[in-house]
Amino acid sequence: MKPDYKNWMPKGMVLTGAAITAILLILFIVFGLTGIVSGVLKTVLFIVFLAGTAAGLAVTIWMAFMYRTFSYDGKRQMSRQIIEGIAENVKLPDGGKGLDVGCGSGALTIACAKRTPQASFVGIDRWGKEYASFNKPLCENNAKAEGVGNVSFQRGNAMHLDFPDGSFDAVVSNYVYHNIPGDRQAYLLETLRVLKKGGTFAIHDIFSRAKYGNMQTFVRKLKNEGYEDVRFIDTANGKFMTKKEAVCMALSGSALLIGKK
């Protein structure tokens, strides 16, 4: 049995983009190049459907590139590199507990659990309709395929974690909070709320100023509150991806926030 971690760029999105582009192309040919309509209307439809086709083609090519790059079974396997890179920073004591916020298909939860067999990990996710192929049974099947038994999965909300303060010895997350509108620094604080004193955290996301505000100020805030060894590591400059890949995939600003409480 082989694990199926899916793809961070769902195939359905790529196929939908291709289908929409094909429809726009047909409409461009029918209304922009034939004599079905004429005059100003034909000119307007020509421009609208041509622009739509060009935009659709560009987006579809970009999504296909993302799909190929993120594939766990492909040549590049960026997803695997990111997951393993985050898991390397997780430290758990014997009998400790870790939390993965936004676990998706369970990849990071399982990777952390494999590295810390003396501890246990919980993965939570809301498993929304935009990622319909990601769900709890998928996570559980992947854990079984990897031979990992020290994990569990449950539905949860990253904005309001259903755990008491200081419940976990480690918390991790990968590419989650930038998808949630609102105060993303507050979401980080909510995640760190459930971390025990002395626990470690490793959170990877697109920490651009547009999405998060000033993260250097946030790091100083954590240090002032007593967090130790807080570091902000650029992962879009050769660590997990090249700068060119980051620009092409709109992942500029990707970074790893790690530290100890």
Side-chain angles (χ1 to χ4, degrees):
M1 185 179 178
K2 187 178 180 181
D4 179 12
Y5 292 121
K6 301 298 180 183
N7 196 297
W8 297 346
M9 174 56 66
K11 183 183 287 185
M13 291 178 65
V14 181
L15 295 177
T16 298
I20 292 173
T21 302
I23 292 171
L24 289 169
L25 177 59
I26 293 171
L27 292 173
F28 167 69
I29 293 172
V30 172
F31 293 103
L33 300 181
T34 67
I36 291 179
V37 294
S38 60
V40 176
L41 179 58
K42 181 175 182 178
T43 301
V44 170
L45 293 178
F46 178 92
I47 295 172
V48 169
F49 289 131
L50 177 59
T53 300
L57 181 61
V59 171
T60 300
I61 291 173
W62 174 75
M63 291 193 297
F65 173 69
M66 292 275 281
Y67 183 84
R68 181 179 180 183
T69 304
F70 282 137
S71 173
Y72 273 84
D73 300 317
K75 183 177 180 180
R76 177 62 179 86
Q77 297 187 359
M78 184 185 290
S79 297
R80 190 183 300 274
Q81 182 179 350
I82 292 172
I83 291 298
E84 293 298 332
I86 298 171
E88 287 176 359
N89 296 280
V90 177
K91 309 295 182 185
L92 283 173
D94 289 354
K97 291 178 61 179
L99 174 70
D100 176 15
V101 180
C103 63
S105 60
L108 180 56
T109 318
I110 293 167
C112 292
K114 287 175 71 174
R115 287 176 175 272
T116 55
Q118 79 286 356
S120 62
F121 246 85
V122 178
I124 68 164
D125 203 300
R126 72 182 184 89
W127 293 300
K129 61 182 179 180
E130 63 271 36
Y131 285 91
S133 61
F134 289 48
N135 50 59
K136 182 180 178 181
L138 174 66
C139 294
E140 293 172 340
N141 287 337
N142 284 336
K144 185 181 295 186
E146 293 277 17
V148 175
N150 57 327
V151 293
S152 63
F153 301 95
Q154 63 188 63
R155 189 173 294 276
N157 184 344
M159 296 182 287
H160 304 286
L161 298 176
D162 191 23
F163 301 104
D165 295 358
S167 297
F168 298 95
D169 299 281
V171 293
V172 298
S173 185
N174 179 51
Y175 281 149
V176 173
Y177 307 104
H178 75 275
N179 289 314
I180 309 173
D183 187 345
R184 296 179 176 94
Q185 290 191 15
Y187 303 153
L188 293 179
L189 292 175
E190 169 64 3
T191 295
L192 296 178
R193 175 184 65 78
V194 302
L195 185 64
K196 291 181 181 178
K197 180 64 177 177
T200 59
F201 61 89
I203 299 170
H204 188 242
D205 204 4
I206 305 174
F207 288 108
S208 65
R209 183 177 286 268
K211 295 180 182 296
Y212 273 92
N214 191 326
M215 282 301 295
Q216 295 303 331
T217 299
F218 182 77
V219 168
R220 289 195 293 271
K221 177 181 178 179
L222 292 182
K223 290 182 177 180
N224 290 337
E225 291 182 0
Y227 286 81
E228 303 174 14
D229 190 28
V230 182
R231 286 178 285 158
F232 196 55
I233 303 170
D234 183 2
T235 60
N237 194 22
K239 184 173 179 62
F240 291 165
M241 66 198 79
T242 66
K243 186 173 291 187
K244 183 178 180 181
E245 286 175 329
V247 171
C248 290
M249 295 189 293
L251 295 178
S252 296
S254 291
L256 183 62
L257 180 67
I258 62 175
K260 182 178 180 180
K261 190 171 186 179

